Amino acid sequence: MNSIANSVMSSVETLRLLAETALAMSLGLAVVLALRLPLRRWFGAGVAYAAWAIVPAATFAVLLPAAPQPAAGTLSLVAAAPAAALGLADAAPAAATQAWALAGPVWAIGTAATSLLMLWRQWRFQGGLGALQRQPDGLYRAQRDRGLPAAIGLLRPRIVVPGDFEQRYSAAERRLIRAHERSHIVCGDLHLNAFVALLSCLYWFNPLLHYAVGRFRADQELACDARVLRRHPTARRSYGEAMLKSALRAGPAPWACSWASTHPIAERIAMLKHPLPGAVRVRFGACALILCGTVSAFAAWAAQPASAPQERRITIATQDLLSERGFALRIAAQAGLQLSNPEVLDDSRKRLSADLQGVSVRHAFLALQDASGWSAQYHRDQVRFVPSAGPRNARLPAASR
């Protein structure tokens, strides 16, 4: 039974962590979606693409330990005269914990379904290419044109071109396409796309993430265009003609980088008409981006609740006397914790009254420790009582934070 309870509590804690990181991710996505167009206009496509680093920074910031919360409220727990022994039923698990436990299978099913969809799309894309033949120049020629040219592969990245590559594109256009796809590979865009696909599976319930994925891929292509044009500043016309000759004939793979991208080709063509920003503007934009990312990550970290279960805040005001076990169960129920061995606490005498106003779980159990002689140990959302090393008092003094 204990192993089942531990499994349930671990699942609940995982889901709570997912919810916290999903909220932080949404904050980061909102910031990036609001800034990407101004950043591109002022500092170039590269800075706008780099802005997406704000999303994982804000997401993983909530995994850092939370700042200690300031003292709030008062705590007083006094021992009263013994009362007649009355049975006290164990408190039922908190409704919130039950709801989280029920949400676990729903999340697992959604994650599995989204993962299968991603794998099917990738298999459909690569399987639709047919057999790949390696060419002397290092490119791979496909039997069928399904969204090619494209860079594919995580372990062995390859550039795959259509069968009519030489006939469709001129020598200058072929050189620019190879530079474009190689830039994707060198900059790790294939692995970033795989990471985004993983996040889409884990956070399938976040509609803002699915909306943002297309914008991320668009910024990725524009940033790659900018890198190629910076190395080939006189090839804008050939670059634009190569774009116009490409047509996406199948849905893109989740972690491939296709030359014929999914967002409107007009946006890429329009960028060719504007000069690339200078080095000074790019550096200034990078500094502004670092500042914005730091502020976003700090905001996500500062907004998180206290991560340690013993720092959760509770408010309990009892009108009737409680036993030691009854008081501990009341704390656990309100804080969303589970007591692994409540039977060690006395339940025969109702002699405790409490007035807890916004105090931490840790201080509440410390007060109980003075009366019971049992100290609370914390493991995730579980609390276990062990004999206290200090002396047991017959009467609880008033305590304050």
Side-chain angles (χ1 to χ4, degrees):
M1 291 298 292
N2 285 338
S3 62
I4 296 176
N6 291 340
S7 176
V8 171
M9 294 307 295
S10 178
S11 172
V12 169
E13 189 170 309
T14 300
L15 290 175
R16 283 177 174 161
L17 184 62
L18 275 171
E20 290 179 12
T21 53
L23 289 174
M25 177 188 294
S26 298
L27 170 65
L29 289 171
V31 171
V32 174
L33 290 172
L35 293 180
R36 55 187 288 268
L37 294 181
L39 287 174
R40 186 196 307 165
R41 188 181 310 115
W42 297 334
F43 308 114
V47 173
Y49 179 48
W52 289 97
I54 292 176
V55 178
T59 302
F60 296 125
V62 299
L63 301 180
L64 298 175
Q69 294 187 357
T74 60
L75 168 64
S76 64
L77 187 63
V78 295
L86 293 175
L88 180 65
D90 288 352
T97 301
Q98 292 180 331
W100 282 113
L102 292 175
V106 176
W107 172 79
I109 292 172
T111 300
T114 309
S115 301
L116 290 175
L117 177 61
M118 292 282 186
L119 292 173
W120 176 80
R121 287 176 58 193
Q122 185 71 23
W123 171 83
R124 181 173 177 267
F125 176 81
Q126 294 193 207
L129 301 178
L132 303 181
Q133 298 178 348
R134 183 180 173 87
Q135 303 300 301
D137 57 2
L139 303 181
Y140 286 80
R141 190 183 305 278
Q143 293 181 339
R144 292 182 292 274
D145 178 8
R146 297 176 65 89
L148 299 178
I152 64 174
L154 297 177
L155 300 179
R156 291 190 308 134
R158 293 164 289 175
I159 300 176
V160 183
V161 298
D164 61 346
F165 188 57
E166 285 77 11
Q167 293 76 29
R168 187 191 306 183
Y169 303 100
S170 67
E173 292 167 355
R174 294 196 300 270
R175 184 172 63 255
L176 291 170
I177 291 174
R178 285 196 296 268
H180 179 96
E181 299 303 337
R182 284 189 181 125
S183 180
H184 275 309
I185 294 173
V186 171
C187 293
D189 289 341
L190 292 169
H191 297 88
L192 287 176
N193 290 344
F195 178 68
V196 170
L198 175 63
L199 291 181
S200 298
C201 294
L202 295 176
Y203 296 92
W204 56 267
F205 52 86
N206 189 343
L208 188 59
L209 173 61
H210 296 292
Y211 172 80
V213 168
R215 278 71 189 170
F216 167 80
R217 297 293 291 269
D219 288 344
Q220 183 181 84
E221 290 299 326
L222 290 169
C224 190
D225 291 341
R227 290 193 298 267
V228 175
L229 291 175
R230 195 173 292 277
R231 291 194 293 267
H232 304 273
T234 62
R236 289 175 179 264
R237 182 178 181 85
S238 297
Y239 203 80
E241 290 175 349
M243 289 183 192
L244 293 175
K245 292 178 181 179
S246 301
L248 190 64
R249 301 181 184 179
W255 49 83
C257 291
S258 174
W259 169 261
S261 60
T262 56
H263 68 286
I265 199 73
E267 193 173 8
R268 297 176 68 186
I269 296 293
M271 192 186 75
L272 300 178
K273 302 177 182 179
H274 302 286
L276 295 175
V280 175
R281 286 179 61 187
V282 172
R283 292 192 189 99
F284 182 80
C287 293
L289 186 60
I290 292 173
L291 177 61
C292 182
T294 303
V295 171
S296 299
F298 178 79
W301 172 79
Q304 66 173 318
S307 56
Q310 60 265 36
E311 297 302 328
R312 294 172 188 170
R313 300 282 170 163
I314 59 174
T315 297
I316 299 176
T318 61
Q319 296 181 349
D320 300 324
L321 298 179
L322 295 174
S323 65
E324 295 172 1
R325 188 189 306 177
F327 179 63
L329 289 169
R330 185 78 66 87
I331 298 173
Q334 187 170 139
L337 302 176
Q338 185 176 29
L339 306 182
S340 59
N341 59 339
E343 64 278 0
V344 301
L345 299 176
D346 179 31
D347 195 30
S348 62
R349 295 179 301 164
K350 295 191 174 186
R351 62 191 188 89
L352 304 177
S353 64
D355 181 16
L356 289 74
Q357 301 295 328
V359 300
S360 68
V361 169
R362 176 170 55 90
H363 280 77
F365 277 129
L366 282 175
L368 178 61
Q369 175 182 332
D370 289 337
S372 65
W374 292 91
S375 173
Q377 291 185 344
Y378 306 91
H379 177 67
R380 295 180 178 175
D381 280 354
Q382 291 239 352
V383 178
R384 181 174 181 81
F385 294 102
V386 297
S388 174
R392 177 174 175 175
N393 298 330
R395 180 177 177 83
L396 280 173
S400 60
R401 286 196 54 84

